[in-house]
Every structure is written in C-alpha cells, then in structure tokens.
Amino acid sequence: MVILALILTYSHESFRFSNDRTHSQTQDLTAPAALDNAEEGLNATGLPFGPEYETSIKLGIQNFELDRNIFKRADVVTITVHDAICAGERILPKLQAGNLQASKYKTVKDLNDNGWVDDQIDEEDENDYHVSDIDSVLKELKIPVKEGRYFREARQMQNFLNEDNVHTKATNGFYTSEFNTKKGTIFALGTKSPKYIVETDENDPADTPAKVKARIPKVSRWSDVVWIHWADVCQKTGKDPSSLDYIFRYHVVTPNTQFGMEQITNVNTPREKLQLDWPGKEYFLDTKEGLALLGTPHLTGIVWMLHDHHDLIKKTIGSIRIFTKGSSYFILVYLK
C-alpha cells in the first residue's frame, strides 16, 4: 500500500516554488514530471496578488471551519485567486497519511438505499460517445479510445431517508461519468449535486447548513457516488480499484474553476478565455498555482474521494495538468 504524505513547505512570508511545467509534445506525459528545485518568486509569475486582490477577498477563507464544499458552486465568479490558494492550503492536509479514512460507502446498494437510480452500460461500448473530442490526448497518455470503456450515470430520482431518518423528496441531482479500465481513468462528464440543487431552489432555497443537511441524502457527494461506480466497474471487470491513474474533469464550465485556471496562466487579461492547447501546463502541490487549483470546486471533490476511500484507492495527487481545446476547459489529475 502506498501512502504518501504531502508536506506544505512554505509560509505566507516566504514561498518556495517549483517551475510550472509546460511540456513539449516529445516528452513523456503519462506520469507526473519529476519535481525540480527551481525557485520562482510570486511577482515573477505575475500571479494577481497585491492590494486590489488582498482587499477583495469575499469569503474570509482563513476564518471559517473547513467544509466539504469550501466554495459553493456558483453561476458567477465568487472567489479570488487568494481565496483559492487559502482553500487549497486548508484542504491539502486531507491527503496526508494521518488523516486518511476507510470507505464508508462502497456498493451500488448504498446508492439505491439513498434514492439513486443507475443508468449503466456494463458491456464494453466501443462507440465514440463522450470523450472522442480528445482522442489525440488519450492516445498520447496510452488510454485506449475504444477498449475498456464503461458509462455510468446516477440520478437521485427517488425519495429517501435523510440523516435524521426523515422521509425526504428526491433532489434530481445527477453525476455522469465514463471509466476506462484498461488504463485506470475516470472521466467526470456532468455534475449537478443534490447540495447545489437544494441551495439554488428558486422556490425554497436551502440557505443554511442545517437546511441543506435535511434535504439531501447521506450519499450525495460526487466523491462517493463516482467512487462507488468506479469500484463497481472494477469488480465486474476483475480490476483492482487502486489501478486508477488519471481523473479527468471534462468540459469544465463552473466559473470559479475556470477563473482559477485563467488567473494562474493568463493573469494580465482577467476573464479572457483561456487558450492553452494540449499539453497545457502541469502544476504540483508545492506551488501556489497548484494550491490555487486544489482549492477550486473541481479539485476538492477529488481530494475528498482520495481521502474518504483511501483504503481502496491507496493513492494521492501527483500533479494537476490544465489545458483547453477550442473553448472547452479540461483538468487532468495524475495519481501516484
């Protein structure tokens, strides 16, 4: 079993950086690049820090208790890069060995008991249906574009008992994924969590943690639902769940995550669409850029998956690569 402790080696007064890794097509992109010892000052990177950013922190991230969803999924940008870095700093210890947990929810029965209905293709499907637009990327990563592909969608369509054992109306949340068992990969294709749905209910928004808790099932998070699907596909195909090597966040549209990606790579033109063709840029968790990505909504879910199911997955985050194709944003997480 591989348990790696990630150690935060900087303070707010003095930062030690590795270079951001922008690789050429001739390099091996199937594994995280080796860490180097380069130092790069914050100002040299052009990251948007300074009075205008320090005074515009909206969420006071350093002053509130860590929650599973550090930032609410929002339809507009509600964070600064400073917020995201602080969030990444606070969630990083969840990947350290002493904080890891064993799986509480492991089977499709756990989904069904919480009102989730499965749409699944349990036979290999050789049709190009969801990820064919990045075939060239998959080939470079040695991920088969035809073999070992399985599709799952979970929809929270049935009433359920909440954590207080009260009968509760279905939320209609959903998570859509594709899995590749030949080269352990999860593609997160579509997400609308029960929490997001009840918080944004136009008629009766759940505007406090207690109200949210009362209206969502015990199994409600992307990190649990998608993990159960991955483990189930592995069980049915004779694979070990710890064979997982890559997690793609596919066609990222959440403004807070897009904003974080834009600001660490294109900081002089806020909210200009990012243009970063494959292989894009790779960041490690000993950099501010890596922490900023870790603190965005799409990465916190991956952290919780690795934290809550470590007895089965036995891996942690090696690095994070971001890239675009056309107007679409992608995140690739390498596990190690």
Side-chain angles (χ1 to χ4, degrees):
M1 184 171 80
V2 179
I3 300 179
L4 299 174
L6 300 174
I7 302 174
L8 204 57
T9 57
Y10 64 85
S11 69
H12 284 290
E13 289 73 34
S14 176
F15 295 89
R16 184 175 183 85
F17 291 89
S18 299
N19 290 344
D20 68 67
R21 283 79 172 171
T22 305
H23 299 289
S24 71
Q25 293 283 1
T26 60
Q27 290 181 287
D28 179 11
L29 300 176
T30 62
L35 289 173
D36 59 44
N37 295 316
E39 293 187 17
E40 186 174 3
L42 177 61
N43 292 334
T45 68
L47 275 170
F49 273 69
E52 68 275 22
Y53 284 91
E54 298 294 335
T55 58
S56 67
I57 297 172
K58 300 177 178 64
L59 298 179
I61 184 71
Q62 292 171 308
N63 299 319
F64 68 80
E65 184 177 349
L66 180 67
D67 182 76
R68 291 214 167 230
N69 292 340
I70 294 180
F71 297 119
K72 291 182 179 180
R73 177 175 172 175
D75 294 325
V76 296
V77 175
T78 62
I79 66 172
T80 67
V81 173
H82 183 77
D83 294 333
I85 291 172
C86 291
E89 178 185 285
R90 290 179 67 85
I91 201 170
L92 180 61
K94 292 297 178 184
L95 293 174
Q96 293 175 351
N99 295 324
L100 301 170
Q101 294 185 357
S103 294
K104 184 176 180 181
Y105 305 113
K106 299 183 179 182
T107 68
V108 172
K109 183 178 184 300
D110 292 318
L111 297 181
N112 300 153
D113 289 347
N114 284 271
W116 292 93
V117 176
D118 261 351
D119 180 8
Q120 55 187 280
I121 300 172
D122 280 332
E123 299 295 329
E124 272 189 354
D125 191 327
E126 295 186 355
N127 296 316
D128 291 329
Y129 44 91
H130 282 107
V131 299
S132 58
D133 58 341
I134 56 168
D135 273 1
S136 60
V137 173
L138 303 187
K139 289 176 181 177
E140 191 163 349
L141 293 169
K142 299 181 174 62
I143 300 171
V145 297
K146 296 287 187 181
E147 299 176 287
R149 299 174 65 180
Y150 301 86
F151 171 81
R152 288 291 184 89
E153 183 170 73
R155 291 189 172 271
Q156 208 287 303
M157 298 174 62
Q158 297 180 348
N159 295 347
F160 58 92
L161 292 176
N162 68 11
E163 289 196 9
D164 296 321
N165 290 317
V166 175
H167 286 278
T168 307
K169 183 175 68 173
T171 64
N172 292 312
F174 68 87
Y175 300 112
T176 307
S177 309
E178 183 179 321
F179 305 100
N180 191 295
T181 58
K182 296 290 185 182
K183 183 67 174 176
T185 308
I186 293 175
F187 299 92
L189 304 177
T191 297
K192 188 166 283 189
S193 72
K195 182 176 187 289
Y196 172 75
I197 288 175
V198 301
E199 286 178 337
T200 58
D201 186 331
E202 292 183 359
N203 298 318
D204 183 21
D207 54 6
T208 68
K211 289 181 180 179
V212 170
K213 180 181 176 182
R215 290 171 57 181
I216 63 175
K218 293 185 283 292
V219 180
S220 66
R221 302 182 183 99
W222 178 90
S223 56
D224 289 324
V225 174
V226 175
W227 171 256
I228 288 172
H229 277 168
W230 167 251
D232 189 59
V233 168
C234 286
Q235 189 271 327
K236 290 178 176 178
T237 56
K239 300 293 184 179
D240 188 326
S242 66
S243 64
L244 185 61
D245 292 324
Y246 304 117
I247 301 177
F248 276 88
R249 300 307 303 247
Y250 192 80
H251 283 301
V252 173
V253 297
T254 302
N256 279 339
T257 302
Q258 285 193 347
F259 177 75
M261 296 169 69
E262 292 160 355
Q263 290 296 287
I264 66 172
T265 56
N266 195 20
V267 296
N268 294 320
T269 52
R271 294 305 291 153
E272 180 178 315
K273 294 296 289 184
L274 181 63
Q275 296 296 320
L276 192 64
D277 292 340
W278 177 263
K281 291 189 176 183
E282 183 179 19
Y283 299 101
F284 292 82
L285 301 187
D286 63 346
T287 68
K288 269 197 165 183
E289 297 92 335
L291 286 174
L293 291 170
L294 196 68
T296 60
H298 286 70
L299 269 294
T300 54
I302 294 174
V303 171
W304 286 113
M305 176 186 285
L306 301 176
H307 173 267
D308 289 343
H309 304 280
H310 189 76
D311 58 319
L312 299 175
I313 195 168
K314 305 173 186 177
K315 290 186 178 179
T316 189
I317 292 175
S319 64
I320 304 164
R321 184 181 297 278
I322 63 174
F323 65 98
T324 63
K325 183 169 183 180
S327 61
S328 297
Y329 290 44
F330 298 86
I331 300 173
L332 167 60
V333 176
Y334 295 88
L335 302 183
K336 63 179 183 180

